[in-house]
Amino acid sequence: MTTVRICRLEDIPKLGARRYCDGERGTIAIFRTGEDRVFALRDACPHKGGPLSQGIVFGESVACPLHNWCIELNSGCAVEPDEGKTRTYPVKVEGGIIYLQ
């Protein structure tokens, strides 16, 4: 498995996101929570494909900017009553640098 250096943790604002485009995997959204936890999801809501990277991050969820579906950052699952899931990717923070695995 290839590990890719994304950016420094401080390059993503708290409760913000950054997009990473990968030829194989497509566009991936990298999220930073208010507690400095980092998550990576396919940058497409399971509902209508809205860009999750443009959504509002709160706690460990993101609200899709198109129809306000809430997606859990750790699992990629839509919060009830909505149903669906977007792909998650493993990330790690080492020495203040975010890596996508």
Side-chain angles (χ1 to χ4, degrees), residues 23-73:
E24 287 181 35
R25 298 177 276 199
T27 304
I28 298 170
I30 313 294
F31 297 93
R32 178 181 177 192
T33 69
E35 290 75 36
D36 292 332
R37 295 198 60 204
V38 178
F39 299 92
L41 301 175
R42 181 172 167 258
D43 193 20
C45 179
H47 177 228
K48 298 251 182 181
L52 295 175
S53 60
Q54 295 177 25
I56 296 171
V57 177
F58 59 98
E60 291 192 3
S61 297
V62 61
C64 178
L66 295 185
H67 301 102
N68 210 31
W69 276 37
C70 294
I71 309 298
E72 295 175 339
L73 295 174

Side-chain angles (χ1 to χ4, degrees), residues 5-13 15-21 27-32 38-43 52-55 57 91 98 100:
R5 182 186 191 275
I6 300 298
C7 63
R8 297 174 305 173
L9 179 64
E10 64 193 41
D11 291 338
I12 302 176
L15 303 178
R18 183 174 189 149
R19 293 175 54 174
Y20 171 74
C21 295
T27 304
I28 298 170
I30 313 294
F31 297 93
R32 178 181 177 192
V38 178
F39 299 92
L41 301 175
R42 181 172 167 258
D43 193 20
L52 295 175
S53 60
Q54 295 177 25
V57 177
V91 290
I98 298 170
L100 179 66

Side-chain angles (χ1 to χ4, degrees), residues 59-98:
E60 291 192 3
S61 297
V62 61
C64 178
L66 295 185
H67 301 102
N68 210 31
W69 276 37
C70 294
I71 309 298
E72 295 175 339
L73 295 174
N74 64 342
S75 67
C77 292
V79 176
E80 291 184 351
D82 300 317
E83 295 179 0
K85 183 175 181 176
T86 194
R87 182 164 182 187
T88 62
Y89 298 93
V91 290
K92 68 178 178 177
V93 179
E94 215 170 69
I97 306 295
I98 298 170

